[in-house]
Amino acid sequence: MSAGGTGQAAADRGETGGVRTALAGLTTRGRSFLAAGIAAAICAYVLGQSDLLRVGLLLASLPLICATVVYRTRYRVTGTRRLAPARVPAGSEARVHLRMDNVSRLPTGLLMLQDRVPYVLGPRPRFVLDRVEPGGHREVSYRVRSDLRGRYPLGPLQLRLTDPFGMCELTRSFSTYDTLTVIPRVEPLAPVRFSGEAQGYGDGRQRSLALAGEDDVIPRGYRYGDDLRRVHWRSTARYGELMVRREEQPRRSRCTVLLDTRGGAYEGAGPDSAFEWAVSAAASVLVHMLERGFSIRLLTDSGSVVPGEGADGFAGSGQETAEAAGLMMDTLAVIDHSDGTGLSRAYEVLRGGNEGLLVAFLGDLDEEQATTVAKMSRRSGGAVAFVLDPDTWVREATDVPRPGDRHAERLRQLREAGWTALSVPRGAALGALWQQADRERSGLASMTGEAAR
């Protein structure tokens, strides 16, 4: 939960416009009373009826008096908005809590509170608050929900002041707003090994040090609780104080998730489109691998990565893992189609180093792009590709691609280059594909081992 914006309404500062602002706040009832009073006064003047003139003046003066009173009202109220939670997966609900405090010495009248929300989050919430005593407060809440990921502004809050007769309504606004982040859906994945490449520490063939440098053999000063068996006597004699050997630093496996965002690679739009499936799947794999102790990196076809990501990607444990996952989810919440037409920029980034396990989510590929992707597997310890079948995503889903079509040819080309390539039809479950990829890669490794013997 995050603390939302706190501000003081403009009701205690007044606005420019004076009489014009007050008259503009007249309701239909107030305008009707004013028109009836003017009409009665004119009739009284024409007919010479003094009693009718008094009635007309009363009808006309009542809305004017109410408008003057409401306009000159000086309420001092503060508002606080709190989101629970501030990040919510697409399709899930978040609750927005509002609190209004009366910080003046006078009680307020009837207040109508409304919050501005984007149309995609639902209707604009409105509340009627009873009289708030001096130093008192009122709390209300409402729910928002979106099937589309993104960042949505909430606010500013608005107070509508009205008189007891309903003749005039004026709006006073707060100055602050908050942002609700709708992140992609994350599907829990089963732990798999991908033939030894899916261990956070130690087992992966392509590994990097969790901390900079090689295993640190330089001794350090003794600390309370250190095992005496680790005392380095030569250094102790040299420095004149008790020194111990440092433990070997664990090695952390790497994983790069490549997300194809080319606009021409996907057809359709909306929460059930192919591109949204790819974004959600990439988010699921990133969170899964980070929780398993991998040093992870998110890469797009344009060669860009998550802001704040280190040279070896995100790595950490506990709170650091949660923060890294939050940064990646914030990036995926607003990611959109790129203007690029190829995957060469991503290949240049991958060619620069040893990337460990590579998991790619790809849209439609032509021959040139498939050739580029095929070369990416050379710089990885393992390569798994989920290629979305464009035919099934624009028509009814089929379980397997038709023999001889272009999509099947691209899959064959990637598999010959060393990829574990799977077709993704419409409505496919990532969890099942994830386990299928592990089985296929394990089978490929077994055949390779037998051929080597």
Side-chain angles (χ1 to χ4, degrees):
M1 294 184 293
S2 66
T6 301
Q8 183 170 304
D12 64 329
R13 297 192 296 269
E15 295 182 353
T16 61
V19 177
R20 180 180 300 178
T21 301
L23 293 179
L26 290 176
T27 62
T28 302
R29 180 184 301 178
R31 296 175 186 273
S32 300
F33 267 69
L34 182 60
I38 295 175
I42 294 175
C43 292
Y45 176 77
V46 172
L47 300 176
Q49 297 290 330
S50 58
D51 293 338
L52 183 59
L53 178 60
R54 285 192 291 270
V55 173
L57 292 178
L58 176 62
L59 293 176
S61 60
L62 182 59
L64 296 178
I65 293 173
C66 291
T68 302
V69 172
V70 173
Y71 177 73
R72 296 181 62 84
T73 298
R74 294 296 184 266
Y75 295 145
R76 291 176 57 84
V77 293
T78 60
T80 303
R81 182 189 298 103
R82 181 168 52 89
L83 308 181
R87 291 189 186 99
V88 60
S92 300
E93 290 184 344
R95 183 167 289 274
V96 183
H97 300 270
L98 304 177
R99 174 177 172 135
M100 305 301 300
D101 292 88
N102 182 11
V103 297
S104 65
R105 298 180 179 179
L106 299 175
T108 68
L110 188 67
L111 301 177
M112 287 183 287
L113 177 67
Q114 67 178 9
D115 203 6
R116 290 185 177 181
V117 300
Y119 176 78
V120 69
L121 296 182
R124 178 174 296 184
R126 293 182 174 88
F127 306 93
V128 177
L129 305 181
D130 295 332
R131 175 180 177 273
V132 183
E133 66 278 3
H137 69 274
R138 297 289 184 270
E139 294 185 5
V140 293
S141 65
Y142 64 93
R143 294 177 296 180
V144 291
R145 179 181 182 275
S146 174
D147 292 327
L148 299 174
R149 56 187 175 80
R151 293 174 62 87
Y152 299 101
L154 301 178
L157 281 170
Q158 290 183 332
L159 279 177
R160 299 179 65 186
L161 310 179
T162 183
D163 64 279
F165 301 101
M167 297 289 179
C168 181
E169 290 182 356
L170 293 180
T171 301
R172 300 291 186 260
S173 297
F174 291 80
S175 58
T176 58
Y177 65 92
D178 293 280
T179 301
L180 174 68
T181 303
V182 180
I183 62 176
R185 297 183 182 91
V186 175
E187 180 179 346
L189 301 176
V192 297
R193 292 184 58 85
F194 287 127
S195 300
E197 295 297 337
Q199 287 293 329
Y201 294 97
D203 288 347
R205 181 165 59 88
Q206 305 293 348
R207 300 178 297 182
S208 63
L209 284 176
L211 300 175
E214 294 294 334
D215 295 341
D216 196 347
V217 296
I218 301 177
R220 59 168 174 81
Y222 175 82
R223 298 172 186 170
Y224 178 77
D226 285 339
D227 190 346
L228 292 177
R229 289 175 297 182
R230 293 170 47 210
V231 173
H232 194 268
W233 297 108
R234 182 179 300 177
S235 298
T236 299
R238 178 180 178 183
Y239 292 102
E241 59 176 315
L242 203 58
M243 306 292 289
V244 297
R245 296 186 300 272
R246 296 191 182 187
E247 293 180 344
E248 181 181 347
Q249 298 174 355
R251 294 174 179 262
R252 184 183 298 272
S253 297
R254 292 183 180 180
C255 176
T256 299
V257 176
L258 172 62
L259 177 60
D260 183 6
T261 64
R262 295 172 297 124
Y266 303 92
E267 295 187 19
D272 296 327
S273 64
F275 181 66
E276 292 302 320
W277 189 97
V279 173
S280 177
S284 301
V285 173
L286 286 169
V287 172
H288 174 75
M289 303 305 282
L290 184 62
E291 290 176 346
R292 298 202 66 206
F294 275 72
S295 175
I296 63 175
R297 179 169 65 167
L298 172 62
L299 181 65
T300 65
D301 56 285
S302 60
S304 60
V305 295
V306 179
E309 185 177 283
D312 292 333
F314 286 109
S317 59
Q319 184 64 26
E320 294 181 359
T321 299
E323 293 176 357
L327 287 174
M328 291 185 298
M329 292 301 104
D330 288 344
T331 300
L332 291 175
V334 297
I335 199 168
D336 202 355
H337 292 294
S338 68
D339 297 330
T341 58
L343 298 165
S344 57
R345 293 184 180 179
Y347 172 67
E348 292 297 328
V349 175
L350 294 173
R351 191 174 61 174
N354 192 342
E355 300 304 326
L357 178 64
L358 175 60
V359 181
F361 296 92
L362 306 170
D364 190 19
L365 301 173
D366 59 21
E367 184 176 357
E368 179 181 357
Q369 295 155 3
T371 302
T372 302
V373 174
K375 293 186 294 185
M376 294 180 183
S377 62
R378 302 173 185 173
R379 301 298 298 174
S380 65
V384 181
F386 299 91
V387 186
L388 279 75
D389 186 352
D391 292 332
T392 63
W393 283 92
V394 296
R395 295 195 297 269
E396 292 296 327
T398 57
D399 293 334
V400 292
R402 294 182 302 275
D405 66 5
R406 190 178 72 171
H407 180 69
E409 176 63 23
R410 301 295 174 256
L411 292 176
R412 184 190 62 79
Q413 184 176 354
L414 295 182
R415 288 164 181 163
E416 291 179 351
W419 284 82
T420 301
L422 276 72
S423 175
V424 181
R426 184 179 182 88
L430 175 63
L433 292 175
W434 184 252
Q435 294 180 335
Q436 180 183 350
D438 179 51
R439 290 193 298 269
E440 292 190 7
R441 183 159 184 81
S442 299
L444 178 62
S446 299
M447 291 187 297
T448 304
E450 292 176 359
R453 290 195 297 269

